[in-house]
Amino acid sequence: MENYTFTAVDRFLRYVRIDTQSDPQSTTNPSTEKQKDLSRLLVQELLEMGVTDAEMDEWGYVYATIPATTDKANVPTICFCSHVDTSPDVTGAGVKPIIHERWNGDDISLPDRVNPADPAQVIQVADHPDLLNQIGNDIITASGTTLLGADNKAGVAEIMDAAHYLLTHPGVKHGRIRLLFTPDEEVGRGTEKVDIQKLDADFGYTIDGESLGTLEDETFSADAVRIQIQGVSTHPGFAKGKLENALKIAADLLASLPKEALSPETTDEKDGFVHPTRLEGNQDQAVLEFIIRDFTEAGLHEKETYLQNQLNDVLVSYPGSKADFVVKQQYRNMKEVLDLHPAVVDNALEAIRRAGLSARRRSIRGGTDGSRLSFMGLPCPNIFAGEHAFHSRQEWVSVQDMQKAVEVIVNVARVWEERA
């Protein structure tokens, strides 16, 4: 891509200013209508590039095609996918991106505060070891009051730039390419309304990873647990020997969980966890929600059984109360599918190496749209986008990493054509 003027950063700076935060409590598709604001812009930009079939469906999904430039008839159709929504954990409204040019290696202090009395947000190198690889590069952050939105607008911008490159360089040989931009990935519903027949691709790649040169081909398997507690309610003035407070039952269950294990804050590598995410209610009824994570299905079931047993033990002290324990499958480890299709990983690793990078396979302590897409018939590992410190006000990405991701996407298209 020598002498090419990249457009990814300019696109990214536009996209992050659009608030696309999703909502886990919403029952609509998409969970927030504002996600469509970015989807509509992407369609407009793709049409202006010359992508004639770019469209957004009623659910906010964007589909588009880059036609093949090869004469080979047997080149698989490849899909590149990123999500437009940002995390519900931190606001994405009023993002003010800052480019720290030729970063010198010092901690990065962000200028804005949520409240004037708050300390400044400081991105400390000691807490972000990947920054040590960025000295001299241009680092993009938010201003301190919002997340940045690099998860996953960096990936969106990189796919859009790669599309621009391929459309303006028809001499690059590649097969048919499909683009997919999804809403609601951050609330676990990113593939809920994907039309896999309409997508019509053989293999896919999400562009939603972290460190330069990484390819993630293994994810958590994931379930959600919802516990609805029915206590025994009565007037507190006449409650002696009668009241069984649903909130206290929920609190006892939370207190029964181990403090030094089985939680996100005490685990790493291949360890799974049991993580409470929501509690609401009153003395009569309470709802507790958990996410359960492990790299194996057996590990998931073991943790769910543990949580059920803890609940049963707590209820012994509340004989008039009861609880419903409902498990909902969220996604499964993509490695189960990807191991059946080694070319989808091998070709991506080759594309990363051709960009002059050291290609590294990683497991991710999380999931991507690719986890579900893989089990829907589209084997789909995850390529780095350069995003770091996800879901926080200290989120950052480097200009140079974004440009390398664009190069890798183009290389993936080339490699599939060459090896067909």
Side-chain angles (χ1 to χ4, degrees):
M1 300 179 66
E2 190 175 350
N3 299 323
Y4 175 66
T5 301
F6 288 93
T7 66
V9 172
D10 288 341
R11 296 178 191 279
F12 178 70
L13 297 178
R14 280 199 299 276
Y15 301 162
V16 298
R17 289 183 169 93
I18 302 171
D19 180 12
T20 58
Q21 190 176 43
S22 49
D23 178 3
Q25 303 309 316
S26 170
T27 59
T28 63
N29 291 99
S31 65
T32 54
E33 278 294 306
K34 59 189 176 182
Q35 294 178 66
K36 290 183 178 179
D37 295 341
L38 178 52
S39 295
R40 277 188 285 266
L41 176 61
L42 296 175
V43 170
Q44 177 187 330
E45 291 185 359
L46 287 165
L47 292 171
E48 289 170 355
M49 282 186 213
V51 179
T52 58
D53 68 346
E55 61 170 320
M56 181 185 76
D57 70 10
E58 62 182 305
W59 314 112
Y61 292 78
V62 175
Y63 298 84
T65 307
I66 300 175
T69 57
T70 181
D71 295 330
K72 295 180 181 179
N74 61 335
V75 182
T77 296
I78 303 304
C79 172
F80 295 108
C81 172
S82 287
H83 62 90
V84 300
D85 66 315
T86 60
S87 170
D89 294 342
V90 179
T91 181
V95 173
K96 294 189 286 186
I98 300 170
I99 301 179
H100 306 264
E101 295 183 352
R102 296 180 294 279
W103 176 64
N104 65 4
D106 293 339
D107 293 346
I108 302 172
S109 182
L110 305 181
D112 294 341
R113 293 164 169 80
V114 176
N115 298 300
D118 290 346
Q121 289 284 331
V122 179
I123 303 176
Q124 297 182 346
V125 178
D127 295 332
H128 301 269
D130 271 347
L131 275 173
L132 294 173
N133 301 313
Q134 302 291 345
I135 295 173
N137 287 347
D138 306 310
I139 308 297
I140 307 176
T141 70
S143 64
T145 60
T146 68
L147 48 65
L148 175 61
D151 178 15
N152 184 220
K153 291 171 184 173
V156 173
E158 290 153 8
I159 291 173
M160 291 290 286
D161 194 3
H164 177 261
Y165 179 86
L166 291 171
L167 289 163
T168 55
H169 294 76
V172 175
K173 297 296 182 185
H174 60 83
R176 178 172 172 266
I177 295 170
R178 289 286 277 162
L179 307 182
L180 173 66
F181 299 112
T182 66
D184 285 341
E185 191 266 1
E186 296 290 3
V187 295
R189 290 157 46 190
T191 62
E192 199 165 276
K193 296 293 184 180
V194 169
D195 187 333
I196 205 73
Q197 266 95 32
K198 178 179 179 177
L199 184 59
D200 189 26
D202 299 298
F203 302 101
Y205 298 92
T206 51
I207 313 299
D208 192 15
E210 188 181 28
S211 299
L212 187 71
T214 55
L215 174 79
E216 293 161 341
D217 63 349
E218 183 174 21
T219 63
F220 271 143
S221 287
D223 284 343
V225 171
R226 186 177 192 272
I227 299 172
Q228 181 157 339
I229 300 167
Q230 178 62 62
V232 178
S233 181
T234 188
H235 189 290
F238 305 91
K240 186 173 182 180
K242 301 174 185 176
L243 177 64
E244 295 182 4
N245 191 322
L247 287 173
K248 288 187 175 180
I249 297 171
D252 285 355
L253 176 58
L254 291 175
S256 76
L257 299 178
K259 303 293 189 295
E260 305 300 329
L262 212 63
S263 63
E265 62 269 28
T266 61
T267 55
D268 59 7
E269 302 296 334
K270 291 296 186 73
D271 297 325
F273 54 74
V274 175
H275 180 46
T277 58
R278 180 170 169 256
L279 167 61
E280 69 174 28
N282 53 38
Q283 69 176 20
D284 183 52
Q285 290 186 335
V287 173
L288 258 174
E289 294 180 354
F290 290 81
I291 58 173
I292 315 295
R293 299 292 187 263
D294 201 276
F295 282 95
T296 68
E297 195 147 353
L300 278 183
H301 297 328
E302 178 185 323
K303 291 170 178 59
E304 288 155 9
T305 300
Y306 167 80
L307 185 59
Q308 176 77 77
N309 289 340
Q310 295 298 105
L311 175 63
N312 293 342
D313 289 346
V314 167
L315 287 173
V316 170
S317 300
Y318 300 92
S321 301
K322 61 182 181 179
D324 291 329
F325 188 98
V326 178
V327 178
K328 180 181 179 182
Q329 180 174 314
Q330 293 184 310
Y331 57 84
R332 289 296 179 261
N333 188 343
M334 64 167 68
K335 189 171 177 62
E336 295 177 32
V337 175
L338 296 180
D339 282 350
L340 302 176
H341 303 277
V344 73
V345 170
D346 292 344
N347 288 355
L349 293 173
E350 174 62 18
I352 292 170
R353 286 190 286 267
R354 289 191 187 186
L357 304 173
S358 174
R360 293 170 289 148
R361 295 170 69 159
R362 286 181 48 182
S363 301
I364 178 174
R365 288 176 58 81
T368 69
D369 278 341
S371 302
R372 283 186 172 177
L373 288 170
S374 292
F375 285 90
M376 292 169 67
L378 185 75
C380 192
N382 189 38
I383 292 174
F384 73 92
E387 56 206 47
H388 293 267
F390 325 100
H391 303 190
S392 79
R393 291 180 174 85
Q394 298 188 8
E395 191 179 10
W396 60 272
V397 66
S398 88
V399 170
Q400 288 74 14
D401 285 5
M402 290 183 67
Q403 292 173 348
K404 277 297 180 184
V406 175
E407 187 176 347
V408 168
I409 294 167
V410 171
N411 287 347
V412 167
R414 282 189 171 117
V415 171
W416 276 99
E417 194 276 338
E418 291 172 13
R419 294 182 171 180

